[in-house]
Amino acid sequence: MYRDQIEAAKEQFGKLLEKQLKRVELMKTQGDFADYKTLDKIIIGVCGGDGIGPAITAQAQRVLEYLLKDEIEKGRIEFRVINGLTIEGRAAAMKAIPDEVLAEIKACDVILKGPTTTPRKGDKWPNVESANVAMRKELDLFANMRPVRIPEQGIDWTFYRENTEGGYAAGKEGINVTEDLGIDFTVVTSQGCERIIRAAFEFARANKKTRVTAVTKANIVKTTDGKFLDTFYAIAKEYPDITVDDWYIDIMTAKLLDENRRRDFQVVVLPNLYGDIITDEAAELQGGVGTAGSANIGKKYAMFEAIHGSAPRMVEEGREIYADPCSMIRAGAMLLSHIGYQEEAERLYKALDVCTVTEKRLVMTGRSNGATGEEFADYIMENL
Ligand code: IPM
Ligand code: MG
């Protein structure tokens, strides 16, 4: 029964295995992280993206240019605006990232990226892959670092989400074996686990964090989550000064709300899809997904973005000038710290704190009864 369908599915599966094994070989040859200190010049590519993206990204760029004024004059830093990472451009090229845009991106060292529209079933766009996911794969940005801080509640979490594997690696390569049977794949590799887990421990060590927590569903998803968890405990042995524990994803979503537990978590490392889910929950606790920034770090490239979407409705209603640029400015602060401008990053974080928590002279409502993104960026710059 179903002989032909099974053969066709096996062939498709074989191709997927070949592709993933090639990726393993590539990972084996990967060197160390880029050392920005040794670069004469750092090129920051700016991709505005879709919807409110260009508006809020431009404000973040203004703030960064203000902070880096001397470095820009000296020629150490260059900002390069990259147009074309828009849903229209991507739909026309029928590619998640058009070739010429990808080439421009790859000529930069780091990228500041606004939100991009991800087509979904039923909307007017062709089914091109998410630009985020494509960029993470193309630039091999395996570590997605998402800090969540709620100082008044004593919460300081840093999530290290694996960014290239899990349910995302072959997300568009699932197989409809028959009309009734659909199969998707979760991909995990030793190299992929090792590099994200090591990155989380290195971050913990460098930032004097005392606990690293792994989150999986290894009791059920035994092979892939099992490998992740085994790798976690193997690597933990190299960091005897750091306390480790692990939780299953379901109870972890509850524990982030548990008054007796939530403050214990410091650095959390987890596979791609669990990281996607739990970082939205965590960001919501901080004040909404609009407040969070995210760093996508690879060995050669890094990309910094907001974790929210492109809010096309705001643009349709002509409200993009009122969109809150905080998430992108926060992403900008992470970018500064990543390329070695720690002091400037600290100043920016402090200004963000003043403008969004302690003083809050301007309020963003997303509408004309609130401040514009430009006014808010000015407010931040006044506080630098
Ligand atoms: C995120 C987003 C993306 C993801 C989407 C836009 C593809 O939700 O960065 O968390 O699923 O990773
Ligand atoms: Mg998400």
Side-chain angles (χ1 to χ4, degrees), residues 308-321:
H308 58 77
S310 58
R313 190 177 313 152
M314 283 191 83
V315 180
E316 279 156 32
E317 295 172 5
R319 292 190 283 119
E320 68 267 36
I321 59 166

Side-chain angles (χ1 to χ4, degrees), residues 263-283:
R263 274 168 273 276
D264 296 347
F265 301 119
Q266 297 178 22
V267 179
V268 180
V269 64
L270 64 187
N272 209 338
L273 187 56
Y274 307 141
D276 178 44
I277 296 166
I278 217 165
T279 53
D280 268 16
E281 182 195 11

Side-chain angles (χ1 to χ4, degrees), residues 110-377:
V110 290
I111 301 289
L112 183 67
K113 181 189 140 305
T116 46
T117 297
T118 301
R120 59 172 187 193
K121 258 201 161 91
D123 67 17
K124 62 176 172 175
W125 302 111
N127 190 20
V128 291
E129 190 187 15
S130 142
N132 302 38
V133 174
M135 200 182 296
R136 292 168 189 167
K137 280 186 199 166
E138 285 288 348
L139 306 183
D140 202 18
L141 307 174
F142 61 86
N144 191 332
M145 196 255 248
R146 300 183 163 186
V148 167
R149 295 202 177 96
I150 317 172
E152 64 278 21
Q153 294 179 26
I155 283 172
D156 185 353
W157 298 326
T158 306
F159 296 90
Y160 265 78
R161 162 186 176 188
E162 203 293 321
N163 218 15
T164 52
E165 303 200 330
Y168 284 65
K172 58 173 194 244
E173 287 151 287
I175 305 177
N176 281 310
V177 182
T178 69
E179 221 173 86
D180 300 317
L181 178 63
I183 307 255
D184 267 316
F185 300 99
T186 294
V187 175
V188 82
T189 64
S190 310
Q191 290 74 14
C193 291
E194 233 178 280
R195 62 186 188 172
I196 183 69
I197 291 165
R198 204 172 284 288
F201 276 103
E202 285 298 313
F203 170 85
R205 181 176 273 172
N207 292 277
K208 307 206 166 36
K209 306 282 181 194
T210 52
R211 178 186 293 266
V212 178
T213 302
V215 176
T216 68
K217 189 76 187 179
N219 52 339
I220 304 297
V221 187
K222 290 187 192 291
T223 308
T224 49
D225 282 4
K227 188 189 263 306
F228 193 94
L229 197 55
D230 289 346
T231 309
F232 174 75
Y233 281 113
I235 290 180
K237 292 206 185 92
E238 298 172 32
Y239 300 83
D241 43 331
I242 294 177
T243 305
V244 292
D245 61 349
D246 81 274
W247 295 78
Y248 296 134
I249 179 68
D250 50 349
I251 189 66
M252 185 67 179
T253 59
K255 289 296 142 192
L256 288 190
L257 308 178
D258 179 348
E259 276 305 325
N260 297 322
R261 273 275 182 214
R262 57 206 303 242
R263 274 168 273 276
D264 296 347
F265 301 119
Q266 297 178 22
V267 179
V268 180
V269 64
L270 64 187
N272 209 338
L273 187 56
Y274 307 141
D276 178 44
I277 296 166
I278 217 165
T279 53
D280 268 16
E281 182 195 11
E284 188 68 27
L285 296 170
Q286 173 182 266
V289 290
T291 62
S294 147
N296 296 263
I297 299 166
K299 297 268 168 104
K300 183 163 191 284
Y301 297 102
M303 180 266 280
F304 301 81
E305 62 179 346
I307 79 166
H308 58 77
S310 58
R313 190 177 313 152
M314 283 191 83
V315 180
E316 279 156 32
E317 295 172 5
R319 292 190 283 119
E320 68 267 36
I321 59 166
Y322 301 107
D324 188 345
C326 271
S327 57
M328 286 307 302
I329 295 175
R330 206 169 280 280
M334 296 172 90
L335 184 153
L336 287 174
S337 134
H338 183 74
I339 61 174
Y341 290 92
Q342 195 53 39
E343 193 222 304
E344 287 78 358
E346 302 288 335
R347 279 166 61 201
L348 188 48
Y349 281 125
K350 280 206 188 98
L352 275 162
D353 261 356
V354 171
C355 300
T356 61
V357 186
T358 49
E359 185 185 85
K360 260 183 147 172
R361 182 164 60 72
L362 289 188
V363 183
M364 304 292 304
T365 62
R367 300 184 178 272
S368 55
N369 60 0
T372 64
E374 187 177 0
E375 286 164 350
F376 200 84

